[in-house]
Amino acid sequence: MSASKCSRLSGALIEQLLDSVDSVLFDCDGVIWRGDQAIPGAAQVINRLKEKGKRVFFVTNNSSKTRRMYAEKMSGMGFNVSEEEVFGTAYCSAVYLKTVCHVEGKVYLIGSDAMRQELEAMGIPHTGVGADHIVGRQADWANVPLDPEVKAVVVGFDEHFSYMKMNRAFQYLSQRDCLFVGTNRDTKLPLEGGKAVPGTGCLLQAVETAAQRRAQTVGKPHRFMFDCVASKFGVERGRCLMVGDRLDTDILLGSNCGLKTLLTLTGVSSVADAEAHQRSGCPERQGMVPDYYVDSIADLLPALQG
Amino acid sequence: MSASKCSRLSGALIEQLLDSVDSVLFDCDGVIWRGDQAIPGAAQVINRLKEKGKRVFFVTNNSSKTRRMYAEKMSGMGFNVSEEEVFGTAYCSAVYLKTVCHVEGKVYLIGSDAMRQELEAMGIPHTGVGADHIVGRQADWANVPLDPEVKAVVVGFDEHFSYMKMNRAFQYLSQRDCLFVGTNRDTKLPLEGGKAVPGTGCLLQAVETAAQRRAQTVGKPHRFMFDCVASKFGVERGRCLMVGDRLDTDILLGSNCGLKTLLTLTGVSSVADAEAHQRSGCPERQGMVPDYYVDSIADLLPALQG
């Protein structure tokens, strides 16, 4: 539609773009909300898109909530959304383990209670969640009792991450044929007020360093999350728009899957970041240049109010 | 002395090599002991070297013991050793902070009680050691109370490593002018019977990933540990031998500092590993090829019994 990438989306171009797509994928944090605050106008944009017949989906790397928990949070913020439209990595990891890995056996889980629930909903047995503090002497740690039924280690966000959890994951991963799956590689979890805390990528990196193995990751920019949506809802990639605030996850996912891409500036990445990728001349970085950008997804509202 | 590197040290070559050096640096784990078991013959080798007038030092990346604790462990195994001859990363990190970083303020310490003791012996204030479990809600974690006097984050081996510790380190490292020091990057801590547990490198990698900063590391292969020995004891590098079981730490340290190098096969690395580095043709890997190797440092004993 546009000769040059990374152009500001405004005026008639907004309607043109929206006319060219049937489905819109939204990242959540930094796009439709920040922490517990909805981005002003976001709910109206989503609701109007649906009223206009667009299919809307939510794809988030955050693994700390189930689909239902997301749907409830969003409903509380005024979004017209159903559980089936939400694709978080807690849910998608369970789908990945079932449909791609065909895991047979238990999962050793470094993750949240939401991940536990999504595994159970998919009928995948696991070793449980919660604190795992250090006990005994160093010589004992290499001999921690292992569950012989464990056939996969899964790492997501876990506030109870500890040396002992890293050690157990390492001992399982030292065994033959143990699968290794991570929800995502985001290094930070942005919170309100420009603050952040360490993200799942830090935990995953620690376990990968110990095991000297690289995990399969489910989250953006890996295409599995799009495939998950596309296979359930028959999305046509050429008529699909990915909207996100991060170049290295959201926009790269869109590029990887052949979607149109829109960067919104209410989150992590800036236009300067995108332009730096564009200017780099590095082919690997071109996938992180969005087709368009907006200050906020609220900028789409005027075109939707007709 | 020898035209080709990585040759077996035996016969007359042993005496020749020992005649060419005044000082010998030994790594500990995998060289003079494994776990709590001394390598057979190691104590006699060390004691005879000293009787013959050689100066002997111990340089270990392990940060879980003070110099005194090492000296006591070694005395118990029959080694003739004094505290001043031991250079562990708990001690060397404290020296590094004092003499290289000139740290003024407190250290936020992810580490052992031994590290605490070595910091205190050097007069460096710190925030304490021990468990730090998660409390509160996610939104609170980015606002954990920080000690305004902290001017450095130091990461060593810490069995109480936790998400909260990683988060605190991240919050400190997000501040201006906060120093970032790691004891070492060993990814595994080998234990008896071929077992291992995750090493400090895993903890450090997690914090580095969160902070998006790279720590200064004190341990081998960085030359600081040799400088520490050399500056205290006036070691002449051309007449010094480094003995170790790891190519990527011990042997590389020796190469980096212009020492003669001897690989012993009682630990992590093999002759095949060394030969692969040699054959690679990669300049960066040549530093990991030792001058000589022995099955065990006990192989030096016959040459010392004259």
Side-chain angles (χ1 to χ4, degrees):
Chain A
M1 292 177 60
S2 159
S4 67
K5 292 195 82 175
C6 201
S7 50
R8 180 182 283 277
L9 188 66
S10 60
L13 202 54
I14 302 180
E15 279 181 68
Q16 263 186 293
L17 175 63
L18 292 177
D19 284 346
S20 77
V21 301
D22 303 320
S23 306
V24 188
L25 269 57
F26 286 92
D27 175 40
C28 296
D29 199 55
V31 175
I32 62 170
W33 65 58
R34 267 187 303 227
D36 288 324
Q37 296 289 313
I39 298 285
Q44 294 97 302
V45 168
I46 303 296
N47 298 348
R48 283 297 290 152
L49 279 169
K50 294 177 88 167
E51 286 160 25
K52 291 239 172 197
K54 306 295 181 191
R55 290 188 304 177
V56 174
F57 304 101
F58 303 91
V59 287
T60 171
N61 274 0
N62 195 308
S63 62
S64 62
K65 288 186 173 60
T66 61
R67 312 183 89 180
R68 175 168 304 176
M69 289 155 82
Y70 276 117
E72 283 167 4
K73 172 173 178 169
M74 291 163 80
S75 296
M77 289 175 168
F79 292 89
N80 168 13
V81 62
S82 76
E83 204 174 316
E84 288 67 33
E85 292 162 333
V86 183
F87 294 80
T89 51
Y91 169 73
C92 289
S93 297
V95 176
Y96 185 80
L97 286 161
K98 195 78 175 181
T99 64
V100 177
C101 304
H102 304 290
V103 66
E104 291 187 5
K106 278 189 195 170
V107 163
Y108 175 68
L109 179 59
I110 294 180
S112 61
D113 194 65
M115 291 180 70
R116 177 190 66 73
Q117 291 180 44
E118 295 287 20
L119 285 177
E120 287 176 4
M122 206 68 67
I124 301 171
H126 58 82
T127 54
V129 292
D132 186 5
H133 303 312
I134 199 82
V135 288
R137 295 175 55 252
Q138 199 171 71
D140 306 326
W141 303 340
N143 297 305
V144 283
L146 299 182
D147 185 329
E149 289 175 43
V150 166
K151 301 293 180 215
V153 167
V154 176
V155 178
F157 186 80
D158 187 344
E159 66 198 60
H160 297 292
F161 187 68
S162 64
Y163 181 78
M164 197 47 136
K165 288 195 172 191
M166 177 163 54
N167 178 49
R168 276 191 219 273
F170 166 67
Q171 304 298 340
Y172 282 119
L173 289 167
S174 301
Q175 297 181 327
R176 283 173 70 91
D177 304 328
C178 185
L179 295 165
F180 187 14
V181 173
T183 55
N184 65 296
R185 296 191 180 277
D186 296 46
T187 61
K188 286 180 195 178
L189 199 60
L191 301 177
E192 280 146 281
K195 298 262 186 174
V197 292
T200 305
C202 307
L203 284 54
L204 187 57
Q205 186 77 62
V207 177
E208 288 184 329
T209 302
Q212 296 282 292
R213 285 179 57 177
R214 191 159 167 91
Q216 302 283 335
T217 46
V218 169
K220 300 170 283 183
H222 290 278
R223 55 174 303 131
F224 180 74
M225 289 189 81
F226 175 74
D227 293 343
C228 226
V229 179
S231 67
K232 282 217 170 187
F233 292 90
V235 172
E236 189 189 331
R237 66 188 60 210
R239 293 190 56 83
C240 180
L241 173 67
M242 173 75 216
V243 186
D245 71 313
R246 292 187 65 138
L247 301 173
D248 59 345
T249 53
D250 303 318
I251 302 305
L252 188 54
L253 173 79
S255 302
N256 285 345
C257 297
L259 318 181
K260 302 177 203 296
T261 53
L262 173 62
L263 175 70
T264 174
L265 302 176
T266 46
V268 171
S269 301
S270 67
V271 173
D273 297 334
E275 288 173 344
H277 288 308
Q278 196 166 26
R279 276 196 312 270
S280 72
C282 169
E284 286 169 21
R285 292 173 67 182
Q286 297 311 310
M288 291 191 268
V289 182
D291 296 322
Y292 308 98
Y293 67 88
V294 284
D295 289 331
S296 158
I297 62 166
D299 295 1
L300 304 180
L301 207 48
L304 290 165
Q305 279 170 331
Chain B
M1 292 182 60
S2 160
S4 66
K5 293 195 83 176
C6 200
S7 50
R8 181 181 282 277
L9 188 67
S10 60
L13 203 53
I14 302 181
E15 279 182 70
Q16 263 186 294
L17 175 62
L18 293 177
D19 284 346
S20 76
V21 301
D22 302 320
S23 306
V24 188
L25 268 56
F26 286 93
D27 174 41
C28 296
D29 198 54
V31 176
I32 63 170
W33 65 57
R34 268 188 301 227
D36 288 324
Q37 296 289 314
I39 298 285
Q44 293 98 301
V45 169
I46 303 297
N47 298 348
R48 283 297 291 151
L49 279 169
K50 294 177 88 167
E51 286 162 23
K52 292 238 172 198
K54 305 297 180 192
R55 289 187 304 176
V56 173
F57 304 101
F58 303 91
V59 287
T60 172
N61 275 0
N62 194 307
S63 62
S64 61
K65 289 186 174 60
T66 61
R67 312 182 89 180
R68 175 168 302 176
M69 289 155 84
Y70 276 117
E72 283 167 4
K73 172 174 178 167
M74 291 163 80
S75 296
M77 289 175 168
F79 292 88
N80 168 14
V81 63
S82 76
E83 205 174 314
E84 288 68 33
E85 293 161 334
V86 183
F87 293 80
T89 51
Y91 168 73
C92 289
S93 297
V95 176
Y96 186 80
L97 286 161
K98 195 78 176 180
T99 63
V100 178
C101 304
H102 305 289
V103 65
E104 292 187 5
K106 278 189 194 171
V107 163
Y108 174 68
L109 179 59
I110 293 181
S112 60
D113 194 67
M115 290 179 71
R116 178 189 66 75
Q117 290 180 46
E118 295 287 20
L119 286 177
E120 288 175 5
M122 207 68 65
I124 301 172
H126 58 82
T127 53
V129 293
D132 186 4
H133 302 312
I134 198 82
V135 288
R137 295 175 55 253
Q138 202 171 71
D140 305 326
W141 304 339
N143 298 305
V144 283
L146 301 182
D147 185 329
E149 290 176 43
V150 166
K151 299 294 179 213
V153 167
V154 177
V155 178
F157 187 80
D158 188 344
E159 65 198 60
H160 297 291
F161 186 69
S162 64
Y163 182 78
M164 198 47 138
K165 287 196 172 191
M166 178 164 52
N167 178 49
R168 274 191 220 274
F170 166 67
Q171 304 298 341
Y172 282 120
L173 289 167
S174 302
Q175 298 182 325
R176 284 173 69 91
D177 304 328
C178 185
L179 295 164
F180 187 15
V181 173
T183 55
N184 65 295
R185 297 192 180 277
D186 296 45
T187 62
K188 287 181 195 177
L189 199 62
L191 301 177
E192 281 146 279
K195 298 261 185 175
V197 292
T200 304
C202 306
L203 284 53
L204 187 58
Q205 186 78 62
V207 176
E208 288 184 330
T209 301
Q212 296 283 293
R213 285 180 58 176
R214 191 160 166 91
Q216 301 284 335
T217 47
V218 170
K220 300 170 283 182
H222 290 276
R223 55 175 302 132
F224 180 75
M225 289 189 83
F226 174 73
D227 293 342
C228 223
V229 180
S231 67
K232 282 219 170 186
F233 291 90
V235 172
E236 188 189 332
R237 66 188 58 209
R239 293 190 57 82
C240 180
L241 173 67
M242 173 74 215
V243 185
D245 72 312
R246 291 187 66 138
L247 302 172
D248 59 346
T249 52
D250 304 318
I251 302 305
L252 188 53
L253 172 80
S255 304
N256 285 345
C257 297
L259 318 181
K260 302 176 203 295
T261 53
L262 173 61
L263 174 70
T264 174
L265 302 176
T266 45
V268 171
S269 301
S270 67
V271 173
D273 296 334
E275 287 173 345
H277 288 308
Q278 196 165 25
R279 276 196 312 269
S280 73
C282 168
E284 285 169 22
R285 293 173 66 181
Q286 298 311 309
M288 290 192 269
V289 182
D291 295 322
Y292 307 98
Y293 67 89
V294 285
D295 289 329
S296 158
I297 62 166
D299 296 1
L300 303 180
L301 207 49
L304 289 166
Q305 278 169 333

